Amino acid sequence: MEPDLTYRLAFERLWDERSSQPVSNGKPEHAAALLAVFFTRAASRVVVFCKELNKHVYDDDEVLKALDGALSRNVRIEILVQTEPTTDSRFLARIKDAQSQSKNVFLYTGLTGAVRNFEVNFAYVDDHAYRVEIDREKMEAVAAAWGQATVSLLD
């Protein structure tokens, strides 16, 4: 799957304009494009909370390239996965490798308690960019490049 370049460029423009305008983010290729922007543009921190690591999104070449860049800049990366991943994706392998090298990477899988049943996927970057997926079954999500109030609720 190729990330949607038009979508990515439009989101990057909103980032540059410091726009808080929310945008729809409901296709796997949109999610991949957004994650690539998040990892590319992160200054200090990326947090991802999801039920599972969808290989169509996370194993995308552009996402992996952006992840590598974030790792090289020592961006703090926190990945929280509600289930135990059944297969090691390329994304998961890179996260595990970075974590084993004492990089600024934190992976939590097989979550328990109330967070195990939390029904929303989300990701955020630094203190302003976010993606929130309210309906996992339909993959209906909203994202914004500059939504500090929403990020403060997710943190």
Side-chain angles (χ1 to χ4, degrees):
M1 177 196 68
E2 290 287 319
D4 188 323
L5 182 59
T6 302
Y7 183 90
R8 179 177 177 162
L9 292 173
F11 193 80
E12 287 181 330
R13 187 181 70 248
L14 292 172
W15 190 298
D16 292 340
E17 294 170 356
R18 299 176 70 92
S19 172
S20 61
Q21 175 185 345
V23 295
S24 174
N25 185 265
K27 296 180 179 178
E29 55 270 22
H30 289 170
L34 199 62
L35 283 168
V37 172
F38 281 6
F39 286 121
T40 299
R41 298 265 185 136
S44 60
R45 183 178 183 202
V46 176
V47 176
V48 174
F49 178 93
C50 60
K51 181 178 180 181
E52 58 192 10
L53 293 172
N54 181 330
K55 287 180 76 168
H56 297 292
V57 173
Y58 291 90
D59 278 8
D60 177 85
D61 289 337
E62 291 299 313
V63 171
L64 295 171
K65 179 180 170 185
L67 171 64
D68 291 342
L71 291 170
S72 71
R73 295 188 318 275
N74 201 35
V75 170
R76 180 183 176 96
I77 298 174
E78 300 173 46
I79 308 294
L80 299 92
V81 185
Q82 289 175 297
T83 60
E84 286 291 342
T86 55
T87 61
D88 275 354
S89 69
R90 294 185 299 157
F91 179 88
L92 187 59
R94 282 190 169 119
I95 290 294
K96 286 181 175 181
D97 182 56
Q99 187 178 35
S100 73
Q101 295 177 33
S102 300
K103 298 239 179 182
N104 206 10
V105 176
F106 304 87
L107 173 65
Y108 307 95
T109 62
L111 303 176
T112 60
V115 294
R116 172 96 177 156
N117 299 317
F118 196 62
E119 303 258 342
V120 174
N121 288 343
F122 63 85
Y124 61 90
V125 179
D126 301 330
D127 65 349
H128 59 84
Y130 70 87
R131 177 185 188 271
V132 177
E133 184 177 355
I134 301 296
D135 189 335
R136 291 175 175 161
E137 299 303 316
K138 295 180 182 176
M139 202 171 185
E140 291 179 0
V142 65
W146 289 90
Q148 291 91 334
T150 301
V151 171
S152 68
L153 292 173
L154 297 172
D155 193 17

